[in-house]
Amino acid sequence: MPNIASAKKRVRTASKRTAINTARKTRVRGYIRKVEEALAAGDQKAAKAALKAAEPEIMRGVSKGCCTKIPARGKCRV
């Protein structure tokens, strides 16, 4: 455990950020899963709708730094 006040604050901040990033990654994965399930089912209309909903969430994850840009770009091109 840290003894210095700034180090204690960093521990608190890091745990908060970890929780936020985990939630964001989970949300992005959920959107991607919906797109992939629609593609696997062969429902093109549902896949396009799911991709349209997923794309802003994926890009938001990239801009917030929880995902990297290159794989996200590939996911948006599905």
Side-chain angles (χ1 to χ4, degrees):
M1 285 300 297
N3 293 323
I4 299 169
S6 61
K8 290 178 183 178
K9 182 177 178 182
R10 290 305 303 163
V11 169
R12 288 193 310 267
T13 306
S15 64
K16 288 178 190 174
R17 295 305 311 167
T18 301
I20 291 168
N21 286 337
T22 303
R24 189 170 283 126
K25 284 179 189 176
T26 303
R27 190 167 45 242
V28 168
R29 269 190 299 227
Y31 276 101
I32 291 170
R33 183 179 43 77
K34 287 177 186 175
V35 173
E36 289 173 347
E37 285 175 356
L39 287 173
D43 191 358
Q44 189 175 11
K45 194 172 185 179
K48 283 184 179 181
L51 182 61
K52 190 169 185 170
E55 191 170 358
E57 198 64 42
I58 293 169
M59 288 298 120
R60 193 171 297 122
V62 170
S63 68
K64 298 293 184 181
C66 80
C67 311
T68 55
K69 196 171 192 175
I70 303 298
R73 189 182 309 143
K75 295 289 185 185
C76 288
R77 277 196 204 139
V78 173

